[in-house]
């Protein structure tokens, strides 16, 4: 089945005001609604609403950090959405970033690969309704059992940017979620994950024919994200290290304006889809043609009504 996802909630739209649009999504051709979790809404509450508003949609988190909830609370949150959307929920988990984990949530950001692996293994057991007592490398759980295990355990996908995590996703998860990549990067990621597992990616889409405005917004986002060490390493692996070196040097010197200016147009155009809605749809489809299973559109703000942009970007 061809999948076409949207990121909720939309920028600048109150959560309760999404009701009518979310009800429309299946008829527009959208199959999935995915959330994120940084400093806006939490990842689960919008999905609880979407489960009621559009029972046909598959729902997913991309992603929930493995550090900011205890293992048991994470299992309870996931089980709640799985009960509301039986067989239609995918739990995406990942490390997030030191800024979010340590700076905003006062948690330790240590051994990210092991913590993700351990959380995945715990969730497999807990969401199957098992009583879990286990000593993992990064935490221990004693006698935990969900009071309301879901009738259908959700799929679990891992946020993965480089070979180690992609291979873990291939071995032990139901798929991988990636972020900030171009359509031409998909084959390299897919080669590490293998051909069978689901590959989800958030695709940033700015539906405007004002290329300079789209690139200006894209540069702000790219300098914010790709200077994070995990994303910097990801793009080194993808082959953009030299293209992004001037940005990194200016950022390290504390000059954000110069860092933004140093990002080449070709990088912005690779990583941010922009143009007319028709052109944007074609560009998103190119990700699928290159091996992506599930594109999840994140609509970047323009002067237009975000809901109308969602309608315009729907698959035809």
């Amino acid at each position: 089945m061809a999948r076409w996802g949207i990121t909720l909630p939309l920028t600048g739209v109150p959560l309760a005001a999404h009701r009518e649009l979310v009800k429309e999504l299946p008829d527009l051709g959208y199959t999935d609604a995915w959330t994120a979790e940084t400093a806006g809404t939490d990842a689960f509450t919008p999905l609880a609403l979407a489960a009621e508003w559009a029972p046909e949609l598959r729902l997913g988190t991309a992603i929930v950090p493995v550090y900011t909830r205890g293992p048991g609370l994470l299992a309870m949150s996931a089980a709640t959405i799985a009960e509301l959307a039986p067989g239609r929920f995918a739990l995406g988990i990942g490390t997030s970033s030191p800024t979010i984990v340590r700076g905003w949530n006062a948690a330790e950001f240590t051994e990210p690969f092991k913590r993700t692996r351990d959380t995945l293994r715990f969730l497999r057991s807990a969401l199957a309704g098992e009583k879990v007592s286990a000593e993992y490398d990064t935490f221990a759980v004693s006698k935990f059992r969900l009071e309301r295990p879901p009738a259908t355990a959700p799929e679990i996908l891992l946020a993965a940017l480089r070979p180690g995590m992609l291979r873990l996703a291939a071995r032990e998860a139901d798929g991988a979620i990636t972020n900030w990549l171009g359509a031409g990067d998909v084959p390299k990621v897919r080669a590490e994950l293998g051909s069978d597992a689901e590959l989800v990616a958030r695709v940033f889409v700015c539906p405007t024919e004002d290329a300079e405005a789209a690139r200006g917004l894209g540069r702000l986002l790219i300098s914010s994200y790709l200077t994070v060490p995990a994303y910097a390493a990801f793009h080194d692996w993808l082959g953009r290290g030299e293209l992004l070196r001037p940005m990194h040097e200016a950022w390290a010197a504390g000059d954000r304006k110069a860092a933004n200016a140093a990002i080449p147009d070709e990088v912005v155009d690779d990583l941010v889809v922009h143009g007319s809605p028709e052109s944007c749809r074609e560009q998103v489809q190119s990700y699928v043609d290159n091996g992506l299973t599930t594109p999840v559109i994140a609509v970047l703000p323009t002067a237009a009504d975000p809901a109308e942009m969602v309608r315009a970007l729907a698959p035809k």
Side-chain angles (χ1 to χ4, degrees):
M1 176 183 179
R3 310 214 71 86
W4 198 264
I6 193 74
T7 300
L8 297 177
L10 301 173
T11 300
V13 180
L15 191 54
H18 283 70
R19 181 194 303 264
E20 294 309 314
L21 176 64
V22 171
K23 286 182 175 180
E24 284 182 55
L25 292 177
D27 289 337
L28 290 169
Y30 289 96
T31 61
D32 290 44
W34 292 73
T35 53
E37 191 167 279
T38 52
T41 63
D42 73 282
F44 294 105
T45 304
L47 298 185
L49 293 170
E52 172 67 19
W53 293 340
E56 306 96 326
L57 289 175
R58 182 198 191 204
L59 310 174
T61 61
I63 51 93
V64 176
V66 297
Y67 293 99
T68 53
R69 292 174 179 79
L73 179 57
L74 180 53
M76 286 187 288
S77 299
T80 301
I81 303 300
E83 181 178 332
L84 290 170
R88 296 184 293 104
F89 173 50
L91 174 65
I93 60 171
T95 62
S96 188
S97 71
T99 295
I100 291 172
V101 173
R102 186 184 300 131
W104 300 351
N105 286 284
E108 290 299 316
F109 189 89
T110 55
E111 299 190 280
F113 179 87
K114 289 184 178 179
R115 180 61 179 254
T116 303
R117 180 202 62 199
D118 293 348
T119 303
L120 168 63
R121 291 175 178 175
F122 164 76
L123 288 169
R124 282 286 196 217
S125 299
L127 291 168
E130 298 173 13
K131 186 175 185 178
V132 184
S133 290
E135 293 274 349
Y136 302 96
D137 285 350
T138 57
F139 60 85
V141 174
S142 177
K143 300 178 181 177
F144 176 83
R145 176 177 280 162
L146 284 168
E147 292 182 5
R148 300 172 68 96
T152 302
E155 296 174 325
I156 304 175
L157 289 80
L158 298 186
L161 297 177
R162 285 186 291 163
M165 200 71 84
L166 286 164
R167 292 170 190 163
L168 175 64
R171 288 194 308 270
E172 300 193 33
D174 297 298
I177 299 168
T178 192
N179 196 18
W180 281 112
L181 80 170
D185 300 320
V186 173
K188 186 164 188 174
V189 175
R190 171 60 76 185
E192 296 295 337
L193 181 64
S195 59
D196 295 333
E198 181 174 11
L199 179 59
V200 179
R202 181 163 280 112
V203 181
F204 294 91
V205 178
C206 190
T208 176
E209 296 184 72
D210 185 342
E212 289 313 303
R215 287 172 179 150
L217 178 56
R219 285 186 168 91
L220 286 171
L221 293 169
I222 288 168
S223 66
S224 297
Y225 277 86
L226 269 55
T227 50
V228 174
Y231 282 107
F234 180 43
H235 283 273
D236 284 345
W237 177 61
L238 291 174
R240 292 194 182 88
E242 287 305 312
L243 286 171
L244 291 171
R245 185 181 303 279
M247 178 197 73
H248 288 296
E249 291 173 349
W251 187 273
D255 191 341
R256 178 161 189 176
K257 184 176 180 180
N260 291 339
I263 303 168
D265 282 353
E266 66 182 281
V267 171
V268 184
D269 293 347
D270 271 353
L271 303 181
V272 177
V273 169
H274 59 90
S276 67
E278 294 77 11
S279 173
C280 289
R281 280 200 304 273
E282 291 172 1
Q283 292 174 67
V284 173
Q285 181 61 41
S286 69
Y287 283 80
V288 177
D289 295 342
N290 282 345
L292 186 67
T293 315
T294 308
V296 180
I297 293 169
V299 180
L300 299 181
T302 68
D305 176 359
E308 287 305 315
M309 290 298 94
V310 171
R311 294 181 179 105
L313 292 167
K316 299 299 182 183

